[in-house]
Amino acid sequence: MWKRNYLIQILFLSALLVIISSFNHSKDPLEKECNPPQSLVFNTDGMYNAEFFDYIFRGHFENIDLKREDMRFLMIFEQYLRAFGRQCPSYLPDYKVEIMDQVCAVEEVSKNIYGDVLSRVCVEYEWVGTGLYARPDLYNAKIEVENIQKSDAVRTTMEMILDPNAMGNSVDLMHQAKGLQNDMLQIFKINNCNSPGVRRFEENLKLFALNKASIRMDGSSKYAAVKKTGGPTGVQDYNKLIDDLVANQSKTWTFNRYTPGSISAVSILSKDSEGRPKSIKANYSYSGFGSGSQGWVQIDFEKGLPKCIYFFDFPTNCKTPNSSIVASYAQGGYGK
């Protein structure tokens, strides 16, 4: 059984790597800003990683749950550089550097007496260019984070394998990768490549990667503000809230397809002292492998705000609700 789970885990990690790797002049970006800091704008609304992006942009590193050595941060940093290189190449400096991929050069293949392949192990790697380019300072910061992760690779891999919720977390990483892919498709549609806001975001992204103090903006992010005030009281349209949260999550699903508007049998399992829900459960419909099915979703709240989404197929795996939807809910967007 342990060997079977181990093999499944490796398959999921391999699939994740495929997804991650597939996200495949003018003013110098390092030129000093002319605008006052408070005039900077970086739009993150609707993005899967909206809250993280906004905290980075504002330099409010204390609100970020991720650490620079986390796999998810490297995934975000790597794919941002590739997205900029792909969508905004004319805004890179003349001294840009090529983003490189490490690929297998020599593979060792084991076969049985019938010629069936039993295993494939790469014994020699080489670096190849991607045709995409990046700012050298940003790329070097990414390499530093990459080296930190490589030095701790054995411990990280063992933690993932021995994790009792390893399967759910592996699937979740795949969902995060797909959510990030969607973010990178829209980030430069809602933000100009060479805007002061994008340049500030990049500077703080680099500073976070290098474990240095940020360039801070005054005022509070709306995502931090709503967490302090908590969720709304009074009658709310929970059916619509759940529909929006599940529909947003379903964008990252690999196989199943959510049926919009299919939320039913909404039940408030518990409430807090202010009458706000602590836990809500509902049914929903989806299609998968050519047939329609029904599942359930449970949403747990903290201070009256959606905190964790649990789906029937991985009931112990907490998925983070879309922060833009949570902010809208906190500000009365779902009141009746």
Side-chain angles (χ1 to χ4, degrees):
M1 178 62 73
W2 185 90
K3 288 184 178 180
R4 178 177 177 273
N5 290 337
Y6 175 81
L7 289 173
I8 293 174
Q9 177 70 7
I10 294 299
L11 287 173
F12 269 109
L13 290 174
S14 299
L16 174 62
L17 290 174
V18 170
I19 293 173
I20 292 172
S21 61
S22 67
F23 296 168
N24 277 330
H25 290 300
S26 59
K27 289 172 80 176
D28 188 328
L30 296 178
E31 184 180 336
K32 291 185 178 179
E33 306 286 358
C34 297
N35 305 62
Q38 294 310 111
S39 70
L40 299 178
V41 175
F42 185 69
N43 189 359
T44 67
D45 284 345
M47 288 198 245
Y48 185 85
N49 295 282
E51 186 174 350
F52 171 80
F53 291 155
D54 195 57
Y55 290 154
I56 288 288
F57 163 63
R58 294 175 182 277
H60 297 179
F61 293 175
E62 70 278 5
N63 293 330
I64 298 175
D65 293 330
L66 284 178
K67 297 178 181 179
R68 67 171 181 156
E69 59 266 27
D70 289 346
M71 181 186 294
R72 188 180 168 200
F73 174 66
L74 180 60
M75 186 166 65
I76 291 171
F77 201 172
E78 174 79 31
Q79 297 313 316
Y80 176 81
L81 293 181
R82 290 172 183 255
F84 194 96
R86 183 179 295 110
Q87 300 175 53
C88 309
S90 62
Y91 294 101
L92 289 167
D94 292 336
Y95 50 91
K96 62 193 177 188
V97 295
E98 189 170 14
I99 298 172
M100 307 294 286
D101 275 341
Q102 192 175 38
V103 300
C104 185
V106 179
E107 193 176 49
E108 187 177 273
V109 180
S110 298
K111 299 181 180 180
N112 60 20
I113 58 174
Y114 303 106
D116 300 321
V117 175
L118 300 177
S119 67
R120 294 179 179 272
V121 179
C122 189
V123 295
E124 187 178 323
Y125 292 88
E126 65 179 355
W127 290 97
V128 297
T130 62
L132 300 174
Y133 293 83
R135 274 174 44 182
D137 57 327
L138 289 174
Y139 192 63
N140 289 337
K142 192 272 295 189
I143 294 296
E144 180 167 323
V145 173
E146 205 169 60
N147 289 336
I148 292 172
Q149 289 199 4
K150 285 179 180 177
S151 67
D152 211 20
V154 174
R155 182 187 63 82
T156 302
T157 302
M158 289 306 299
E159 284 181 353
M160 295 177 71
I161 292 173
L162 298 175
D163 183 353
N165 194 31
M167 182 67 75
N169 288 336
S170 294
V171 172
D172 202 35
L173 275 174
M174 295 177 71
H175 289 175
Q176 290 170 12
K178 192 168 182 180
L180 178 60
Q181 183 181 25
N182 293 336
D183 285 351
M184 293 301 103
L185 290 174
Q186 63 175 311
I187 190 169
F188 297 114
K189 292 180 180 178
I190 59 179
N191 294 286
N192 185 283
C193 291
N194 201 38
S195 69
V198 166
R199 283 180 279 159
R200 172 59 58 83
F201 172 78
E202 290 183 343
E203 286 302 305
N204 273 335
L205 188 66
K206 177 179 70 176
L207 292 171
F208 184 82
L210 297 176
N211 200 29
K212 293 183 178 180
S214 66
I215 305 171
R216 290 185 63 85
M217 292 181 69
D218 294 333
S220 178
S221 165
K222 69 177 180 180
Y223 304 113
V226 299
K227 287 181 179 179
K228 289 182 179 179
T229 58
T233 56
V235 180
Q236 305 295 318
D237 190 344
Y238 296 120
N239 193 293
K240 176 171 172 45
L241 173 65
I242 299 171
D243 181 52
D244 286 350
L245 288 172
V246 174
N248 179 264
Q249 280 288 322
S250 70
K251 294 177 182 178
T252 70
W253 294 355
T254 304
F255 302 111
N256 297 333
R257 295 292 179 267
Y258 173 61
T259 305
S262 65
I263 297 299
S264 63
V266 177
S267 174
I268 299 177
L269 304 180
S270 59
K271 296 182 178 182
D272 63 18
S273 59
E274 297 184 41
R276 302 174 301 190
K278 291 178 65 177
S279 186
I280 291 179
K281 195 170 185 178
N283 296 329
Y284 68 91
S285 299
Y286 68 94
S287 58
F289 300 103
S291 61
S293 302
Q294 190 170 72
W296 58 259
V297 59
Q298 181 174 319
I299 301 174
D300 288 352
F301 290 66
E302 183 175 272
K303 291 185 67 176
L305 294 174
K307 175 70 173 178
C308 275
I309 304 176
Y310 300 95
F311 290 96
F312 74 100
D313 45 354
F314 290 101
T316 61
N317 188 252
C318 169
K319 300 192 180 300
T320 304
N322 179 281
S323 48
S324 296
I325 296 174
V326 173
S328 176
Y329 173 70
Q331 294 164 351
Y334 291 83
K336 284 187 174 181

